[in-house]
Amino acid sequence: ARPADADRHRGIRDDERDDPVGRDRAGRDLLMRIGIAGFAMMNVMILSVAVWSGAEAATRDLFHWISGAIALPTVAFAGQPFFASAWTSLKARRLGMDVPISLALILASAISVFETTQSGHHAYFDAAVMLCFFLLIGRYLDHRTRAIARSAAAELTALEVPRAILISGMVEKPVAVADLRPGDLIRVRPGGRIPADGIIAQGRSEIDRALLTGETLPVPAGPGMALQAGEVNLTGPLDLRVTAAGQDSSLARLTALVEAAETARGRYTSLAERAARAYSPVVHLLAFGSFLGWFWGTGDLRLAVNVAAAVLIITCPCALGLAVPAVVTSASGRLFRRGLLIKDGTALERLAEVDTVVFDKTGTLTLGQPLLLTDVPEDLRAPALALAQGSSHPLSRALAEGLEGTLPAAVTDLREHPGQGVSAIWQGQALRLGRADWLGLDPQADSATLSSWLSVAGRPPLRLDFSDRL
């Protein structure tokens, strides 16, 4: 099924897919629980110092009761993520990694209450709260790692245009992109991002397709040309006949690829999960065996329960269960921000065995930031800058940067010609900056990867060469 179909089956609307507030709610909840656990831990530790320093009898019992009054509600509240996850695992008849964590928290708290009621010398309220505090920090760090990596897909989603201009008869009406249907006619103004996949019905312009192709130069666009959501219309207004919109667009499918790669299950992910599933039952068996062994050997129930709780705490399989998914998610996100799209979760594992890399040309090894190479004559710098500032074309912007420090000439009738260039009148002379064929030259003159031409009436055209930055 397409991503949109799967989301609609789960009842997810197009405008609900990118909800940064909802995504961050879990992080804020974890931070709140960390803060409460940390505050309680410090107070319980202060009371424990007095006990460790030699407080006896009624004083020790009082401090234990106060510690319990602080620790028990804290563990019940701050440990809720572990308890909820453990309960879910048990209902599914699985022993997830949060089951031993929950048992350890419950056992440590229960032993401490029992010791306190019996005026025992040792209570472990401080250890229970501290364990909860540090485990929550680990849970939050894992959450942040995944959230940062998931922002790779969010960056793509941010390129989606929320509204489009629908043409109905002779009337233009703004509508939500999610409401567009195939066959609708929309208008995309210069400088705007294409809101949906479609075919140009009317108009000519230049399109920045770097999002999908990595190419530095925009491509001329005219009637009959197919455009994809996320591309940028640079120079002229376009009327577009929609072929796919919303979660059916090419940009949405690209976003779905990134999300799928981040959640894909590779060989090492499956291996770690299988190990974790086997590890958890072994941990419980070890703890139970420790309890039976110490109880049989010493006859001391308190000591046996303490040893069993220690085994549960020390052997918790948190790292095993979290390490591989965190690495895969983090690596996918970092690669995307460096311009590499992981379409398959196993690609990361296969990448470790690669010994030869073959690169494509422009856009892969270049940044898409042209630099002016030609030395423009002094008398043409001012009019050339005036023309360059009148266009949004990448080469025009590069020319303007190359002429920085020059004052633009006063020109009139400044016009941008979509797919061709920009023209103006300067001191009664016609100025043109653009393609070779538009200036009446041999189109082969533009065979260089990055070049443009400057024409002043009565003078031979000047070729402007550019290079892209590696």
Side-chain angles (χ1 to χ4, degrees), residues 188-194 200 202-209 217-222 227 231-239 387-397 414-423 433-435 438:
V188 185
R189 296 193 172 95
R193 196 172 290 276
I194 308 298
I200 297 177
Q202 183 177 342
R204 293 188 177 275
S205 182
E206 289 176 302
I207 304 298
D208 180 356
R209 315 194 82 169
L217 286 178
V219 297
L227 301 180
E231 297 174 342
V232 180
N233 178 25
L234 294 177
T235 55
L238 295 174
D239 290 348
L387 287 175
Q389 291 179 342
S391 172
S392 57
H393 193 284
L395 295 186
S396 295
R397 295 198 299 267
L414 182 64
R415 297 181 185 179
E416 187 163 17
H417 304 266
Q420 304 295 336
V422 59
S423 66
L433 174 67
R435 296 163 55 92
W438 184 53

Side-chain angles (χ1 to χ4, degrees), residues 203-460:
R204 293 188 177 275
S205 182
E206 289 176 302
I207 304 298
D208 180 356
R209 315 194 82 169
L211 172 68
L212 297 178
T213 67
E215 295 289 346
T216 301
L217 286 178
V219 297
M225 181 176 176
L227 301 180
Q228 278 75 43
E231 297 174 342
V232 180
N233 178 25
L234 294 177
T235 55
L238 295 174
D239 290 348
L240 198 69
R241 185 71 64 181
V242 175
T243 57
Q247 298 309 311
D248 296 323
S249 70
S250 55
L251 181 59
R253 292 196 297 272
L254 185 61
T255 304
L257 279 177
V258 177
E259 293 174 339
E262 290 172 358
T263 57
R265 311 180 96 71
R267 179 165 56 91
Y268 293 112
T269 305
S270 301
L271 177 64
E273 289 182 346
R274 289 198 303 271
R277 283 199 297 269
Y279 191 71
S280 292
V282 170
V283 166
H284 290 86
L285 288 175
L286 282 173
F288 185 65
S290 300
F291 169 78
L292 292 179
W294 282 89
F295 184 64
W296 178 76
T298 65
D300 190 337
L301 179 62
R302 292 186 187 180
L303 179 60
V305 172
N306 285 346
V307 171
V311 171
L312 284 175
I313 294 171
I314 297 302
T315 58
C316 172
C318 304
L320 180 64
L322 295 177
V324 174
V327 167
V328 171
T329 307
S330 178
S332 298
R334 291 190 64 180
L335 284 170
F336 174 79
R337 276 183 286 279
R338 290 176 178 266
L340 298 174
L341 173 62
I342 303 298
K343 297 166 61 179
D344 184 347
T346 62
L348 282 173
E349 298 168 5
R350 298 200 305 272
L351 192 61
E353 303 169 1
V354 167
D355 57 10
T356 303
V357 180
V358 181
F359 287 101
D360 190 11
K361 47 186 176 54
T362 57
T364 302
L365 299 179
T366 56
L367 296 177
Q369 301 173 1
L371 284 172
L372 177 65
L373 299 178
T374 304
D375 187 13
V376 181
E378 191 64 34
D379 60 330
L380 293 181
R381 293 175 68 88
L385 180 59
L387 287 175
Q389 291 179 342
S391 172
S392 57
H393 193 284
L395 295 186
S396 295
R397 295 198 299 267
L399 177 58
E401 290 179 6
L403 298 176
E404 190 175 356
T406 302
L407 292 176
V411 298
T412 57
D413 198 23
L414 182 64
R415 297 181 185 179
E416 187 163 17
H417 304 266
Q420 304 295 336
V422 59
S423 66
I425 302 297
W426 171 60
Q427 297 179 353
Q429 299 174 310
L431 289 178
R432 282 190 177 188
L433 174 67
R435 296 163 55 92
D437 54 354
W438 184 53
L439 271 63
L441 303 174
D442 183 358
Q444 296 300 319
D446 274 340
S447 58
T449 303
L450 297 174
S451 65
S452 186
W453 292 82
L454 175 65
S455 171
V456 181
R459 299 179 59 163

Side-chain angles (χ1 to χ4, degrees), residues 34-50 52 67 70-71 74 125-127 129-130 133-134:
I34 289 172
I36 292 173
F39 181 76
M41 179 186 69
M42 289 186 290
N43 283 276
V44 174
M45 288 294 293
I46 290 173
L47 295 168
S48 298
V49 168
W52 298 339
S67 298
I70 298 173
T74 301
F125 294 117
D126 52 347
V129 179
M130 191 182 301
F133 174 72
F134 285 113

Side-chain angles (χ1 to χ4, degrees), residues 1-242:
R2 294 172 300 179
D5 296 333
D7 285 344
R8 292 189 190 109
H9 179 71
R10 297 196 307 268
I12 300 175
R13 301 195 313 269
D14 287 345
D15 57 354
E16 290 178 336
R17 282 180 57 86
D18 185 28
D19 179 15
V21 175
R23 286 201 309 268
D24 195 50
R25 189 176 296 121
R28 291 199 305 270
D29 181 74
L30 285 172
L31 279 177
M32 175 186 66
R33 296 179 193 276
I34 289 172
I36 292 173
F39 181 76
M41 179 186 69
M42 289 186 290
N43 283 276
V44 174
M45 288 294 293
I46 290 173
L47 295 168
S48 298
V49 168
V51 176
W52 298 339
S53 300
E56 295 288 344
T59 304
R60 181 190 61 221
D61 293 345
L62 175 63
F63 285 170
H64 281 170
W65 281 114
I66 297 174
S67 298
I70 298 173
L72 293 177
T74 301
V75 170
F77 175 76
Q80 187 176 346
F82 307 110
F83 300 144
S85 176
W87 179 245
T88 301
S89 297
L90 291 175
K91 286 195 297 184
R93 297 182 179 180
R94 291 185 292 106
L95 289 176
M97 63 183 177
D98 285 331
V99 175
I101 291 176
S102 301
L103 281 176
L105 291 173
I106 293 171
L107 274 177
S109 301
I111 292 170
S112 301
V113 171
F114 178 77
E115 291 285 348
T116 301
T117 58
Q118 300 298 314
S119 296
H121 290 277
H122 302 290
Y124 307 101
F125 294 117
D126 52 347
V129 179
M130 191 182 301
L131 176 64
C132 188
F133 174 72
F134 285 113
L135 287 173
L136 281 171
I137 290 177
R139 184 64 54 91
Y140 178 74
L141 290 177
D142 175 68
H143 170 81
R144 286 299 304 158
T145 300
R146 294 169 184 269
I148 291 170
R150 279 195 300 270
S151 67
E155 288 174 12
L156 276 177
T157 306
L159 297 178
E160 296 179 0
V161 181
R163 304 187 72 78
I165 300 175
L166 178 66
I167 301 176
S168 179
M170 300 297 292
V171 178
E172 295 183 2
K173 180 175 65 173
V175 297
V177 170
D179 294 334
L180 292 177
R181 296 292 179 268
D184 287 345
L185 188 64
I186 60 175
R187 178 156 295 164
V188 185
R189 296 193 172 95
R193 196 172 290 276
I194 308 298
D197 294 357
I199 306 295
I200 297 177
Q202 183 177 342
R204 293 188 177 275
S205 182
E206 289 176 302
I207 304 298
D208 180 356
R209 315 194 82 169
L211 172 68
L212 297 178
T213 67
E215 295 289 346
T216 301
L217 286 178
V219 297
M225 181 176 176
L227 301 180
Q228 278 75 43
E231 297 174 342
V232 180
N233 178 25
L234 294 177
T235 55
L238 295 174
D239 290 348
L240 198 69
R241 185 71 64 181
V242 175

